[in-house]
Amino acid sequence: RLEAVREAVNDRIRAGHVYDGVIDLDRALRDPAAPKRLDPRYDSGDHLHPSDAGYRAMAHAVDLDRLKNGAPTVL
């Protein structure tokens, strides 16, 4: 039930109905083979919080040029 609520909120945010722009860190960190799970490469070990590699992946998910120019977008 809570997962369904989280997914519905994220879908609305990603669709552009809430904010002008979004950096989709869920997309940057999820496991492509199991999208509801944190990618093991980015897992700190507790299956919830990112490791140092996960934080690097989050940083790389940010398009600094778009952020600097204020362009509304989903990154």
Side-chain angles (χ1 to χ4, degrees):
R1 171 139 165 80
L2 290 176
E3 179 62 17
V5 171
R6 185 191 75 81
E7 289 177 9
V9 169
N10 280 343
D11 288 345
R12 187 160 173 83
I13 289 170
R14 288 179 181 121
H17 300 295
V18 180
Y19 301 104
D20 292 337
V22 174
I23 300 170
D24 194 342
L25 299 178
D26 175 59
R27 184 174 62 192
L29 296 180
R30 70 179 161 222
D31 185 342
K36 293 184 180 185
R37 196 175 71 187
L38 183 61
D39 189 318
R41 296 174 298 166
Y42 305 136
D43 189 347
S44 67
D46 66 1
H47 311 299
L48 180 62
H49 297 95
S51 63
D52 289 345
Y55 283 109
R56 275 190 295 282
M58 291 166 57
H60 289 278
V62 178
D63 183 331
L64 294 178
D65 289 330
R66 286 185 166 189
L67 188 64
K68 184 171 86 175
N69 295 325
T73 188
V74 174
L75 303 174

